[in-house]
Amino acid sequence: MMLKGKGWNLQVLTECCCYLIFGYLLFRLTYSGEYLNYVTPRMKPYLYGMSALMLLWTVWEGRNLLTPQYKANLSRSFVFIIPILLLAVRPAAPGGSSMIQNYDGPGISMAAGNGGGLLSARGNQTTPSEKKDSMADSQEAFETDTPSENRTATKNTGSPEGIAEGIADESVDESADETVDESVDETAAREDESPWYDLNGLDEDTKTITIADEDYYTWMYELSSFYEKYEGYTVVMKGFIYKDPEIEKISDFALVRLSMWCCAADLSPIGFLVDCSGTLDFKEDDWVVVKGALEASTDGESLMLKAQSIDRAEKPATEYVYPYF
């Protein structure tokens, strides 16, 4: 039952206040950049859009402010209480080793995509030794599939039959060689192709890679995908120290950062194992800059930085890594 006349509609007033407060807090979270602790940068336009929607909703609902209602049902506004409280009194952003220990994945993520590989002894990434074995197997398969008489020069006996056989064998040899050469040329061409992303911080003259905060994921992708090109390069990168019993079996610690694909619920560690060959003067979760040579671990199952220096560093303004280019 609606009562016509002067006065405020308490129901509409409460709902408008909830919409307005929620929209304002969401806008402040987005504008300040703090939203990056919870979702990726791709969500920014959607958050702004939601803030604008809350403002429009407030204006639309406000038309009924002066239309009194016989009985207000304030419980309808409770749905906004929890999100308003979460935005007004935000919990501490997850991070550090405590987040990794709650991570259900089997290792340190190194490859691109949600189905990417892993970089610890517990992972299943295609490791340096496996890639070399794969190349050896391919060569062995080629030699096995190609008859030996087609891979070696046939001696000419001087008879017409021998001459004909020699010509046929040489033709087969040339055809096989051309096929191999073309395959090698295509492989080399693919390796020489420039990536579609920028490799900032690469100095090929000194064989040094300096990884800036904004280029972290780009280089994680590049080094894990094409590590053969950079084996022996000196890498300078920042991250926090993470220790784990499985990791400490093959290295001193892992230098990682947390990557976020969608939201804080899917944070996962991404980085390198580090061998410092000495006493470590830093504790777990400390942010450091490691300078070291990129190489494979002794068991050939992981990529590792052979540390030359480890220096204390400040936590970056944007702590998380967002895995896209």
Side-chain angles (χ1 to χ4, degrees), residues 236-315:
V236 181
M237 59 182 286
K238 180 196 296 184
F240 67 86
I241 294 175
Y242 170 56
K243 294 185 177 182
D244 176 90
E246 292 295 328
I247 289 176
E248 291 178 321
K249 290 180 181 179
I250 54 178
S251 66
D252 293 297
F253 65 91
L255 183 69
V256 301
R257 293 180 68 172
L258 296 176
S259 64
M260 181 191 298
W261 282 97
C262 175
C263 60
D266 67 1
L267 287 172
S268 58
I270 177 172
F272 282 126
L273 303 178
V274 178
D275 179 15
C276 60
S277 300
T279 304
L280 182 64
D281 297 327
F282 301 95
K283 61 182 183 299
E284 192 169 21
D285 288 339
D286 281 349
W287 283 82
V288 295
V289 173
V290 173
K291 178 180 180 181
L294 181 67
E295 60 182 40
S297 60
T298 53
D299 59 5
E301 296 298 319
S302 308
L303 296 180
M304 178 181 293
L305 292 181
K306 190 74 173 181
Q308 301 166 2
S309 65
I310 303 177
D311 300 311
R312 187 174 298 277
E314 294 294 328
K315 181 187 295 188

Side-chain angles (χ1 to χ4, degrees), residues 197-223:
Y197 44 84
D198 295 328
L199 295 177
N200 300 318
L202 174 63
D203 188 338
E204 294 182 340
D205 294 333
T206 61
K207 290 191 173 182
T208 301
I209 301 171
T210 303
I211 302 177
D213 292 336
E214 59 273 15
D215 299 317
Y216 191 92
Y217 180 73
T218 301
W219 274 111
M220 291 301 100
Y221 175 88
E222 176 73 10
L223 293 175

Side-chain angles (χ1 to χ4, degrees), residues 100-145:
I100 299 180
Q101 290 165 1
N102 294 327
Y103 173 57
D104 292 332
I108 303 175
S109 177
M110 274 299 303
N114 286 318
L118 303 166
L119 182 66
S120 75
R122 298 171 288 172
N124 57 2
Q125 180 181 354
T126 303
T127 59
S129 60
E130 289 172 347
K131 285 192 175 182
K132 291 178 181 178
D133 292 342
S134 177
M135 294 173 63
D137 292 341
S138 299
Q139 180 64 24
E140 183 179 351
F142 172 77
E143 293 177 354
T144 302
D145 294 340

Side-chain angles (χ1 to χ4, degrees), residues 21-271:
I21 293 173
F22 179 71
Y24 166 73
L25 292 175
L26 191 61
F27 175 83
R28 189 181 70 172
L29 179 73
T30 309
Y31 184 76
S32 66
E34 294 182 17
Y35 77 99
L36 292 174
N37 290 327
Y38 307 97
V39 294
T40 66
R42 290 179 172 180
M43 296 300 295
K44 187 174 183 178
Y46 300 102
L47 297 176
Y48 276 133
M50 179 61 72
S51 301
L53 179 62
M54 290 294 102
L55 177 59
L56 293 176
W57 199 352
T58 301
V59 173
W60 179 263
E61 187 72 11
R63 299 176 308 151
N64 301 317
L65 271 175
L66 298 178
T67 305
Q69 187 172 353
Y70 177 70
K71 184 178 181 180
N73 183 14
L74 301 182
S75 60
R76 290 172 51 183
S77 304
F78 288 171
V79 68
F80 282 94
I81 299 299
I82 293 178
I84 286 175
L85 290 176
L86 289 176
L87 289 175
V89 186
R90 292 187 291 275
S97 296
S98 59
M99 181 61 212
I100 299 180
Q101 290 165 1
N102 294 327
Y103 173 57
D104 292 332
I108 303 175
S109 177
M110 274 299 303
N114 286 318
L118 303 166
L119 182 66
S120 75
R122 298 171 288 172
N124 57 2
Q125 180 181 354
T126 303
T127 59
S129 60
E130 289 172 347
K131 285 192 175 182
K132 291 178 181 178
D133 292 342
S134 177
M135 294 173 63
D137 292 341
S138 299
Q139 180 64 24
E140 183 179 351
F142 172 77
E143 293 177 354
T144 302
D145 294 340
T146 305
S148 58
E149 62 270 14
N150 291 342
R151 289 185 275 109
T152 58
T154 303
K155 293 183 179 180
N156 195 340
T157 59
S159 63
E161 293 82 0
I163 295 174
E165 290 176 0
I167 294 175
D169 291 339
E170 288 177 2
S171 176
V172 173
D173 287 341
E174 290 176 359
S175 176
D177 290 341
E178 289 177 359
T179 302
V180 173
D181 291 340
E182 289 177 0
S183 177
V184 172
D185 291 341
E186 290 178 0
T187 302
R190 285 197 300 269
E191 291 179 351
D192 291 339
E193 286 181 357
S194 298
W196 69 89
Y197 44 84
D198 295 328
L199 295 177
N200 300 318
L202 174 63
D203 188 338
E204 294 182 340
D205 294 333
T206 61
K207 290 191 173 182
T208 301
I209 301 171
T210 303
I211 302 177
D213 292 336
E214 59 273 15
D215 299 317
Y216 191 92
Y217 180 73
T218 301
W219 274 111
M220 291 301 100
Y221 175 88
E222 176 73 10
L223 293 175
S224 63
S225 301
F226 310 105
Y227 72 90
E228 300 95 339
K229 294 167 54 178
Y230 305 103
E231 190 170 3
Y233 271 59
T234 298
V235 177
V236 181
M237 59 182 286
K238 180 196 296 184
F240 67 86
I241 294 175
Y242 170 56
K243 294 185 177 182
D244 176 90
E246 292 295 328
I247 289 176
E248 291 178 321
K249 290 180 181 179
I250 54 178
S251 66
D252 293 297
F253 65 91
L255 183 69
V256 301
R257 293 180 68 172
L258 296 176
S259 64
M260 181 191 298
W261 282 97
C262 175
C263 60
D266 67 1
L267 287 172
S268 58
I270 177 172

